[in-house]
Amino acid sequence: MIKLIQGDATSPRPRLGQGVVIAHICNDVGGWGAGFVLAISAVSSAPEAAYRALAKDHGATRNSGKRIPRGQVQFVDCRIPDCDGHYIVANMIAQNGLDRRAVPNGVLVDYVALEKCLDIVFARSAELGFEVHMPKGIGSGLAGGNAETIYGMIETAAKKFCVDVTLWEFIDSSAPPFVPKKRRG
């Protein structure tokens, strides 16, 4: 079952005796600093540290030409302050670089890699008896993916592994709306 709620995806409340996997998409070049990862880093430094170590292991940087192989998932145990329960952040490597101008269709999401990552995340969640939580519209913001396509992939994985999913829609009227910076030509 997939449910949509408003709130902060980094503050889930698992059912009693269960845990939560917070899944999100990471790029393959070691960049961490925009989008949902900022919210994750505000709650725990562990997912960013693990991701940066993975990038270093592969020599992946924006300018090195080396990349983290897409389709793999890093599971990082986290303790979230003021929350009961077990939390795991799933760093899903399913984004091709950082520059939408560098890819022919302007879409950085690698759908094949994302499908593989979702299967890994949902299989692990089913094994642990955990729910999967993620931001609504995952991969369709900065990465330019098609929200309907990605939702269909999430729905398929949820049914395949019989795992409950919560998609979080972040609403904060005090925050300025996200408006991408205009690129200088």
Side-chain angles (χ1 to χ4, degrees), residues 9-40:
T10 64
S11 298
R13 301 286 184 251
R15 285 180 259 172
L16 189 60
Q18 290 190 324
V20 171
V21 174
I22 301 172
H24 71 108
I25 296 173
C26 294
N27 63 70
D28 60 358
V29 295
W32 182 289
F36 185 64
V37 298
L38 297 177
I40 290 174

Side-chain angles (χ1 to χ4, degrees), residues 57-75:
D57 288 347
H58 289 281
T61 65
R62 294 176 189 192
N63 300 319
S64 71
K66 296 180 181 178
R67 296 178 179 253
I68 304 166
R70 291 190 295 273
Q72 63 179 295
V73 178
Q74 252 190 331
F75 291 98

Side-chain angles (χ1 to χ4, degrees), residues 99-117:
D99 186 356
R100 289 174 61 177
R101 295 173 298 177
V103 292
N105 60 3
V107 175
L108 298 175
V109 174
D110 178 333
Y111 292 116
V112 172
L114 179 57
E115 183 175 40
K116 183 177 178 183
C117 288

Side-chain angles (χ1 to χ4, degrees), residues 150-164:
I150 295 169
Y151 182 88
M153 294 168 75
I154 293 167
E155 190 174 44
T156 298
K159 287 178 184 174
K160 181 177 179 180
F161 295 99
C162 299
V163 172
D164 288 334

Side-chain angles (χ1 to χ4, degrees), residues 12-20 84-87 128-131 133:
R13 301 286 184 251
R15 285 180 259 172
L16 189 60
Q18 290 190 324
V20 171
D84 296 327
H86 190 159
Y87 297 89
L128 296 170
F130 284 18
E131 297 177 19
H133 289 230

Side-chain angles (χ1 to χ4, degrees), residues 121-135:
V121 167
F122 280 79
R124 178 83 174 270
S125 298
E127 177 183 296
L128 296 170
F130 284 18
E131 297 177 19
V132 174
H133 289 230
M134 60 185 73

